[in-house]
Amino acid sequence: MQKYLGSAMGAAILMALAAPAFAQDLRVNVPVGQGGSLTSPTVSAAEETLRKIPGGADVIPAKEFQDGYALSMKDMLNATPGVLAQPRWGEESRLSIRGSGLSRSFHMRGITLLQDGIPFTFADGSSDFQEIDPLTLQHVEIYRGGQGLRYGAATLGGAVNMVTPTGKTLPHTVLLRTEGGSHKTLRLHAQAGKAFDGADAFVATTSAVSSSFRRQSEQNNRRVSGNIGVDLGSSAETRFYIAYNDLEQEVPGTISKRNALHNPKRVPAINVLDDYARDIHSLRLANRTAFRLDNGWKLEGGVYANDKTLYHPIFRVLDQKSLDVGTFARLDGDYSLQSHRNEFVLGANLGRGRNNAKQFENEGGKRGALRADAKQLARNIELYGENRFFVTPDLSLITGLQGRIAYRDFEDHLNGANDAEKTYKALNPKLGILYKTTPSSEVYASVTRSSEAPTYSELVQGGLPGFVPVDQQTAWTAEVGSRGTYEAFSWDATLYHARVRKELLNFTVDANTPASTFNAGDTIHQGIELGLGWQATPELSFHGIYNLNDFRFDGDDQFGDNDLAGAPPHQVRLSARYERDGYYIEPNVEWTPKAAWVDYANTLKSDTPVLVGMKAGLDIGDNVSLFIDARNLMNEQNIATFSTITDARVVGTEVFYPGDGRSVYGGIVVKF
């Protein structure tokens, strides 16, 4: 094992630090925008970093979604090329990038989540969304596919980094926000931040209640978060983060397609009878410390811990207590190599998660007899390096490598025969090229490898002793594209093709095997990610995205060359914004021209909704603003998302989440 990781890291170091004896003219390559610091990058700094990525990547300033009712990942990422974000209920969403985790009917896999560059994903590779508060973000960075390697990520979907403001980057001192509207929604939010002599602080709190569109969907959530930064001299800074969540959320469940389209408020009787819910209490602590070295390079590192209690009455009462801890380190900088500029980043992520997972009989939402009691342990080691060699000032060659070891250990306290452990190893290289065609545009191409070890949801499935025999999923992804601006036009276009092996899918092996997830054979994920913008006049702008999702089996024994279930072949979103003299109006439309397949046998489809919405806002003086956010103005009955199945002709099809009807939200924001 040590030899394996040593070879991986050795190659990464060679790529990043080739011939260091020739290095000269050392200088830091960490852009810090006005108001930023070593641990608190600004939006402009993030955008500058994005310009060096040889593949699909985007930065979304929080103001783009905070000027309306921002609740879920869909609201945050809806206008981003390559992203499929669909609401299930409340904050619970279905998130996929390039077809990652398509078959996952709950939570998420296949994308690495980070907050402020610190791992947010659980140690086993799964993720939740309920603990994310869009109102406490400064911006969101999306690194699609292998471009997430900058943070050590090597998953099919890439990485999403959510960045919070600090006392140095916050554009105001105090903000108060009140909003409400449809479905008895009321949300109160406050935040404050200030920079002092040698320190800064930011704190935010959010409280929200809602009955939601359907029955058994009430939400009652409270969140508090913040960070404190301390200068450690002129070239060092440390920052401490804290986040507390107290979330009470009912679960409405899935229904048939007919009910989803014609009786969308319906919920399964069992969800009401057994009070299905998902309640979370969590405390997250983290530290990030950065140093600017004498040679201009930047070294940063930190630790994190997330203590979480989950009470989840569904078919059984899932009662879990988990603790995820970890540490990370990154070194980046640049130097002159034989008169050529050379930039690099080297890093390591070490994580450990322990989950005490119990299951009880569900007796009206309360614990009944104990049915399962286990310890789930996950440990991960990720070592990575990425190098950018400038052949000319405008042409750069990017190389990278990640080495990963993922260890899983399961201990069944009720039946020792189910105890199991397994280790997964992977090497994931990257090769890319980027050429700046103009000061404001570039073209790029890259080839990357990804790998994903199974999460505990795949390893421990009902009816089988020990671990289900699933292997890790791997893929090679090639992409080419361009992004930039020219006069009044902007674009972000990527064409990608991924060959996936052993994709983790809900997959029926045979009638005698009760597991729901297995490795498929070869699959293909390919498509187009397109974003366009036009500033027609100083007041009027147009924006649009188009995603072509072509995901399919490749000669599968059971499903041939069928399309994979889960994603519509086409996604279209268009918006226009008129902004002048302190007010704005922004109509938008979301269109799914062709329905997604619900089953792998390709016998049942979802629907093709056209959803029309509108946002508008008004500034009253310098400190007060109003907004209104109207959704599904035509009150079209639609399907928001669904769980994938194997064959709709032989298995149950009550797998649909209906979309909300017409909804209107409004709010007032006071800043000073």
Side-chain angles (χ1 to χ4, degrees), residues 355-378:
N355 183 28
N356 295 318
K358 295 183 179 181
Q359 294 184 14
F360 299 85
E361 289 293 335
N362 187 339
E363 298 180 357
K366 307 298 182 182
R367 299 179 186 89
L370 179 66
R371 296 303 184 195
D373 184 0
K375 180 189 75 175
Q376 301 171 348
L377 180 66

Side-chain angles (χ1 to χ4, degrees), residues 383-637:
L383 304 177
Y384 62 94
E386 189 174 58
N387 191 76
R388 181 174 290 102
F389 177 76
F390 287 82
V391 181
T392 71
D394 295 326
L395 177 65
S396 56
L397 177 66
I398 298 92
T399 55
L401 184 67
Q402 184 223 45
R404 177 181 57 78
I405 294 178
Y407 173 72
R408 307 288 184 259
D409 182 11
F410 180 77
E411 183 178 317
D412 192 327
H413 298 314
L414 299 184
N415 183 1
N418 289 332
D419 293 355
E421 60 180 315
K422 191 167 184 179
T423 300
Y424 300 88
K425 303 176 183 179
L427 282 175
N428 300 303
K430 172 180 180 178
L431 176 64
I433 189 170
L434 184 143
Y435 178 65
K436 293 184 68 67
T437 53
T438 72
S440 61
S441 62
E442 53 265 351
V443 294
Y444 51 79
S446 68
V447 177
T448 57
R449 186 180 190 269
S450 63
S451 64
E452 300 170 26
T455 70
Y456 270 103
S457 296
E458 286 97 27
L459 288 172
V460 182
Q461 301 178 44
L464 289 178
F467 283 162
V468 174
V470 289
D471 204 348
Q472 64 181 339
Q473 170 186 311
T474 62
W476 283 97
T477 302
E479 58 187 291
V480 296
S482 175
R483 59 177 167 259
T485 61
Y486 176 73
E487 296 183 347
F489 298 93
S490 61
W491 68 91
D492 178 1
T494 305
L495 173 67
Y496 68 93
H497 177 88
R499 307 286 301 196
V500 187
R501 296 194 62 194
K502 300 182 179 180
E503 182 167 3
L504 291 162
L505 295 175
N506 289 343
F507 203 77
T508 302
V509 177
D510 59 60
N512 297 316
T513 303
S516 61
T517 304
F518 268 88
N519 296 111
D522 294 341
T523 55
I524 296 172
H525 290 230
Q526 59 188 4
I528 297 172
E529 304 162 334
L530 178 63
L532 297 172
W534 177 33
Q535 191 71 44
T537 71
E539 299 85 11
L540 180 63
S541 61
F542 297 90
H543 299 275
I545 67 164
Y546 168 71
N547 292 333
L548 170 64
N549 306 314
D550 183 11
F551 311 142
R552 62 183 64 243
F553 292 99
D554 187 18
D556 185 76
D557 291 340
Q558 186 173 357
F559 298 115
D561 295 329
N562 282 4
D563 291 338
L564 292 174
H570 310 279
Q571 296 171 252
V572 179
R573 188 182 190 277
L574 304 172
S575 66
R577 186 178 178 103
Y578 184 83
E579 189 167 5
R580 181 178 180 180
D581 298 332
Y583 71 90
Y584 67 87
I585 183 170
E586 182 179 328
N588 61 78
V589 59
E590 295 180 42
W591 176 35
T592 304
K594 189 175 181 180
W597 288 111
V598 177
D599 64 340
Y600 301 125
N602 291 176
T603 65
L604 177 64
K605 287 188 173 184
S606 184
D607 70 336
T608 56
V610 179
L611 303 179
V612 179
M614 185 190 69
K615 293 193 297 185
L618 173 66
D619 293 335
I620 303 175
D622 295 330
N623 301 325
V624 180
S625 60
L626 308 174
F627 76 85
I628 187 171
D629 189 342
R631 305 179 177 193
N632 193 5
L633 286 172
M634 307 305 293
N635 200 30
E636 180 172 351
Q637 294 176 327

Side-chain angles (χ1 to χ4, degrees), residues 89-109:
W89 76 91
E91 289 95 337
E92 174 65 17
S93 302
R94 185 169 183 233
L95 181 63
S96 175
I97 298 177
R98 296 182 175 177
S100 63
L102 269 183
S103 70
R104 197 64 179 262
S105 61
F106 54 93
H107 317 316
M108 187 199 72
R109 68 175 324 280

Side-chain angles (χ1 to χ4, degrees), residues 27-33 37-41 45-46 48-49 52 150 288 290-292 296-300 331-334 341 343-344:
R27 56 193 180 277
V28 70
N29 179 39
V30 183
V32 176
S37 67
L38 285 172
T39 63
S40 59
E48 182 65 23
T49 300
K52 301 174 183 179
R150 181 166 185 82
R288 180 181 179 187
F291 303 87
R292 182 171 295 169
W297 295 355
K298 179 183 175 183
L299 174 65
E300 62 178 328
L331 172 68
D332 65 327
D334 66 4
R341 184 180 179 185
E343 301 176 352
F344 71 92

Side-chain angles (χ1 to χ4, degrees), residues 161-177:
N161 183 33
M162 300 162 289
V163 180
T164 55
T166 69
K168 293 182 178 180
T169 61
L170 199 67
H172 45 263
T173 302
V174 176
L175 180 147
L176 304 174
R177 180 179 179 126

